[in-house]
Amino acid sequence: APRRRQLHRILLPVPGFRPRRRRRALREVPGVARRAGPHRRGEPDAGGRPPRTVRRVAPAIRSGRGRLPAGHGGTAGARRGVVGDRGPDHQLTEDVVRVTEIDGLRDLWYAVARSDEQSPAGARRVRLLGDDYTLWRAGGGRPVLAEAYCPHRGASLASASVADGRLVCCYHGWEFDGSGSCVHIPQLDPGLPIPPKACLRTWPVVERYGLVWACVGAPATDGPPRFVEADEHGWRVQVDFFEPWAASALRVVDNNIDQSHPAFVHRGTFGDPSRARVPPYELERTATGLRARVPQDVGGVGPQMGDADEGKRYERMQEVELLDLMHTRIRLSYGGQAPDYAFYGSATPVDDSSSIYVRVSALAGDEDVQPYAMFWDFSRRVTLEDKVVLEQTSPDFPVEVTREVHLRCDRTTLEYRRQLARLVSGGAEGEPEATDVPQPRMEGAVAQEPSAAEPAA
Ligand code: FES
Ligand SMILES: [Fe+2]
């Protein structure tokens, strides 16, 4: 370490040189290779097989580390995307995480394919949280998520064929059933049993809302969170998006609940920079996330209600829900002026800096009143506006809330950071107050709203 410090001192004046100061929150126990799988907590699996992986997450939030030399506060600020110098005493801390470093996120469900694109005839490669898997349909069309490579000689099972609900490896023709058991080896001498080790590990999979969902950790529920408009209200449900984005899944979810960007990001569709202020709104923490009710006065959204007139203004209530740390629900209610609709959003973390943008919509109106083609065409334009911005965001996601500046309108995204911070630091979820996270700074809104100088929660 002293030698590295010396090197940094020599290299710091070199233009373009930036010492890597960010420390990974996730560390692996020396000598133990990291492998995909649900056995990260060091427990044997159901079949008594020993754990393949032993990992531990170090708390990602620490303070007082790596104080910068005088005069380098600007560098630290720039690393966090903040313009300007925060002063010579600004401290570098472990205040950012990447999505694959948060072990608890492995226990959630992620959409890994569109149901209508997963044919019974073939297998495909799925990449989730930095690891590869194989997805295919077993007997009865049941989707199965299994290991990426064949246990015989390592052929990619994404190249396997599927026959009679069995996965047939492309290399030597070994066949596997939906439980991952090997059921046929063409080269096996007659009378000999199939070696018990010749099996594939599999993970829980469900099909819901037109998508195939998988969990590669220890799921706490039997599937992704409920989409009440689809499950209980019986609205028309469509998969709007299942497409790769070059953005961290955390940034995508954060954007789903962000209240202050539409005026600017969506000025090509329904945003109006002259109406950027967000009215005060209610926010409550729920057992697994948050819920906010934001009254809105919007124009330009007509096509989502089957009205081609984009100039008309509407008063609506936006109910934003963080269902868990990777799933959101947004309900837009027009009080009878127009048909309501709701969005069920998620992002599948492919790796730290890429994800699959997932969105399902539910429409209250019939097709003749609220045509889906018109709805989708408008939604597509709006979503592309988000995509352009999100694909330029950093994969380092801030969870140390005192390091960013928050306005009152940012309470939803501030609460998201707090809940992620609790997960990263191993704190219990669902506590009524974020007592384990320092209070954030509230700036910038004082002139508009005197009470905004108070903490957001
Ligand atoms: S590598 Fe799959 S059967 Fe040999
Ligand atoms: Fe947006």
Side-chain angles (χ1 to χ4, degrees):
R3 192 179 145 69
R4 225 170 66 191
R5 269 201 298 276
Q6 207 175 18
L7 198 67
H8 284 174
R9 259 201 298 276
I10 295 164
L11 289 173
L12 267 175
V14 176
F17 174 76
R18 291 281 179 276
R20 181 170 167 80
R21 291 176 185 276
R22 183 177 169 279
R23 296 164 66 100
R24 294 175 68 83
L26 174 70
R27 292 184 186 82
E28 300 185 3
V29 175
V32 179
R34 181 178 173 221
R35 291 289 305 267
H39 312 306
R40 67 188 185 281
R41 287 174 186 132
E43 296 158 1
D45 71 4
R49 286 171 290 213
R52 286 186 172 191
T53 309
V54 181
R55 297 193 295 173
R56 61 192 162 87
V57 174
I61 302 158
R62 292 176 190 161
S63 56
R65 283 170 161 264
R67 186 177 286 262
L68 279 174
H72 285 278
T75 304
R79 194 182 69 89
R80 298 192 180 88
V82 176
V83 178
D85 191 339
R86 288 184 170 195
D89 287 329
H90 187 68
Q91 292 176 345
L92 271 177
T93 56
E94 294 187 14
D95 56 3
V96 293
V97 287
R98 293 190 171 197
V99 67
T100 64
E101 295 172 339
I102 307 176
D103 220 24
L105 293 181
R106 300 181 73 83
D107 299 342
L108 303 182
W109 292 84
Y110 299 103
V112 291
R114 289 180 69 119
S115 289
D116 56 9
E117 287 182 355
Q118 185 62 39
S119 97
R124 74 170 62 204
R125 171 64 48 88
V126 163
R127 191 162 171 79
L128 180 57
L129 288 160
D131 293 315
D132 290 326
Y133 302 88
T134 308
L135 182 69
W136 56 290
R137 286 191 188 277
R142 183 171 66 83
V144 177
L145 189 76
E147 290 175 66
Y149 298 101
C150 182
H152 177 220
R153 287 294 180 268
S156 168
L157 292 171
S159 302
S161 55
V162 178
D164 299 328
R166 293 174 174 186
L167 188 70
V168 184
C169 180
C170 65
Y171 199 175
H172 308 92
W174 291 23
E175 297 181 16
F176 303 89
D177 70 10
S179 72
S181 298
C182 183
V183 290
H184 181 61
I185 296 180
Q187 300 83 1
L188 194 67
D189 292 333
L192 286 185
I194 290 173
K197 271 172 65 184
C199 62
L200 301 176
R201 180 164 294 157
T202 61
W203 287 268
V205 179
V206 294
E207 239 170 329
R208 204 171 280 175
Y209 314 130
L211 295 163
V212 180
W213 303 81
C215 176
V216 292
T221 55
D222 64 359
R226 299 273 158 200
F227 185 18
V228 66
E229 282 74 15
D231 293 337
E232 289 172 26
H233 304 344
W235 292 6
R236 285 187 294 143
V237 173
Q238 295 86 8
V239 177
D240 296 334
F241 299 96
F242 180 84
E243 64 176 37
W245 282 17
S248 162
L250 297 173
R251 295 287 180 185
V252 175
V253 175
D254 190 46
N255 172 260
N256 282 356
I257 60 170
D258 183 283
Q259 296 305 306
S260 54
H261 76 278
F264 288 89
V265 170
H266 298 303
R267 53 189 180 273
T269 49
F270 70 98
D272 179 353
S274 70
R275 297 171 184 259
R277 195 168 170 276
V278 178
Y281 59 84
E282 300 164 24
L283 175 80
E284 59 172 311
R285 286 190 65 191
T286 61
T288 54
L290 66 86
R291 188 181 300 117
R293 285 170 57 80
V294 188
Q296 295 180 325
D297 172 5
V298 288
V301 294
Q304 288 184 314
M305 287 90 77
D307 185 349
D309 177 7
E310 293 191 19
K312 198 166 162 186
R313 297 199 72 79
Y314 293 88
E315 287 192 359
R316 69 181 184 185
M317 180 59 76
Q318 182 189 208
E319 185 182 335
V320 180
E321 210 176 343
L322 184 65
L323 300 165
D324 64 27
L325 292 178
M326 294 300 268
H327 297 82
T328 59
R329 168 187 160 267
I330 295 173
R331 162 78 175 267
L332 295 150
S333 302
Y334 289 85
Q337 294 178 81
D340 294 352
Y341 47 90
F343 300 118
Y344 184 82
S346 184
T348 300
V350 173
D351 53 33
D352 283 331
S353 54
S354 57
S355 55
I356 296 172
Y357 177 71
V358 177
R359 202 183 75 190
V360 177
S361 63
L363 277 58
D366 293 334
E367 175 64 22
D368 52 344
V369 178
Q370 197 177 16
Y372 180 68
M374 188 188 276
F375 179 92
W376 189 86
D377 183 61
F378 181 78
S379 295
R380 175 86 203 152
R381 286 161 52 205
V382 173
T383 302
L384 283 177
E385 291 172 327
D386 287 311
K387 183 182 180 188
V388 168
V389 174
L390 292 177
E391 289 197 330
Q392 297 173 68
T393 53
S394 166
D396 291 338
F397 194 87
V399 287
E400 221 287 11
V401 297
T402 61
R403 298 297 169 188
E404 291 180 305
V405 180
H406 310 273
L407 303 185
R408 182 168 288 280
C409 57
D410 296 323
R411 288 160 71 215
T412 49
T413 46
L414 170 60
E415 178 61 21
Y416 186 49
R417 283 152 177 72
R418 286 173 163 161
Q419 295 194 12
L420 278 172
R422 256 194 302 283
L423 185 63
V424 170
S425 62
E429 279 192 87
E431 296 157 17
E433 287 299 328
T435 50
D436 51 345
V437 178
Q439 287 300 303
R441 298 186 305 154
M442 298 290 291
E443 291 182 7
V446 178
Q448 296 175 334
E449 198 175 316
S451 61
E454 296 162 11

